[in-house]
């Protein structure tokens, strides 16, 4: 005969006391995840993916696609959308042996308390912010730049920050706002305010620098991937037998924009160009098999891009290795 016992709620040890007679069924609470960094070895360099946090996007942000199509794709990929389309915000720390380079820096407090864990996760991963000598920004949106400083003080006091010349001009030229449609000006100026605050301590020490296409920074080749923003760039690093591309925001969704890569997103400043850039780069990555590191694909955001037909794509995340 089966030994009938009241159903006990199994709680993790250390977080709650086990009670022998749990009278009422209780909800199992979701705990905060521990992992906030992931290390990936590429030849003789080490990449540490740093989680800034999880964001939720409204499905209505996707453009040139019906909401019905969006819903179908999200369902196909089992994309949890209780609170919106789940999106990671990642930054990457690259130890080349000669240099410690941070690509993008997360949102810090620019978008609320659910983001801003890059600095904490960097320390937990065993590095110190003082060791970072170079910061490469793919563009100047706050979820990439805000993490470089806090309250006017540089989080990475020994680092030089690089962004493309085109990007700096777009956000830092005082005449730019007047060139935009009226309804976009307030939003633009709000973003500029956040950017200026983040870069100020680096500018004060002449540690804010710009580059042009053709320049190399610490062995990283710069690739023009404009569209999402006017001076958006990606960075490619070649190591023994492997090429890694830090793509930035050429894609925001591993579901909708892989299935239908011609779908733009509201955040794109030039949606048409953003789509052209994605199509061009995805075709290149699918053909040549570069390892991809992406700030908005599911953490750790490292993997490969595959296409069976050259029209739609699939995100192939790296396998977890311990
Ligand atoms: Zn972004």
């Amino acid at each position: 005969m089966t030994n009938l016992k009241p159903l006990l709620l199994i709680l993790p040890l250390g977080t709650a006391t086990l009670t022998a007679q749990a009278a009422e069924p209780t909800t199992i609470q979701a705990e905060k995840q521990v992992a906030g960094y992931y290390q990936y070895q590429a030849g003789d360099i080490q990449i540490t993916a740093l989680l800034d946090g999880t964001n939720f996007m409204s499905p209505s942000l996707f453009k040139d696609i019906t909401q019905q199509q969006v819903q179908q794709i999200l369902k196909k990929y089992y994309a949890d959308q209780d609170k919106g389309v789940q999106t990671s915000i990642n930054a990457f720390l690259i130890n080349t042996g000669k240099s410690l380079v941070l690509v993008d820096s997360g949102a810090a407090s620019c978008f609320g308390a659910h983001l801003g864990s890059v600095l904490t996760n960097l320390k937990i991963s065993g590095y110190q912010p003082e060791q970072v000598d170079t910061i490469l920004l793919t563009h100047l949106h706050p979820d990439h730049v805000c993490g470089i400083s806090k309250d006017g003080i540089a989080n990475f006091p020994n680092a030089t920050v690089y962004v493309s010349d085109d990007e700096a001009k777009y956000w830092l030229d005082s005449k730019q706002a007047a060139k935009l449609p009226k309804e976009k000006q307030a939003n633009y100026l709000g973003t500029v305010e956040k950017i200026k605050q983040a870069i100020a301590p680096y500018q004060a020490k002449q540690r804010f620098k710009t580059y042009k296409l053709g320049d190399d920074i610490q062995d990283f080749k710069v690739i023009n991937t404009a569209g999402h923003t006017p001076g958006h760039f990606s960075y490619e690093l070649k190591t023994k037998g492997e090429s890694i591309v830090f793509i930035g925001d050429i894609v925001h969704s591993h579901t909708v924009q892989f299935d239908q890569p011609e779908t733009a997103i509201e955040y794109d400043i030039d949606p048409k160009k953003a789509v052209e850039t994605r199509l061009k780069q995805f075709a290149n990555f699918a053909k040549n098999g570069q390892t991809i590191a992406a700030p908005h694909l599911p953490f750790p955001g490292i993997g490969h891009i595959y296409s069976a037909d050259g029209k739609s794509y699939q995100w192939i995340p790296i396998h977890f290795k311990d």
Side-chain angles (χ1 to χ4, degrees), residues 112-129:
H114 62 303
L115 301 173
S117 296
V118 161
L119 191 62
T120 311
N121 286 328
L122 181 144
K123 290 177 191 164
I124 295 172
S125 78
Y127 289 100
Q128 289 305 318

Side-chain angles (χ1 to χ4, degrees), residues 143-144 249 296:
D143 55 322
H144 300 258
D249 284 10
H296 297 313

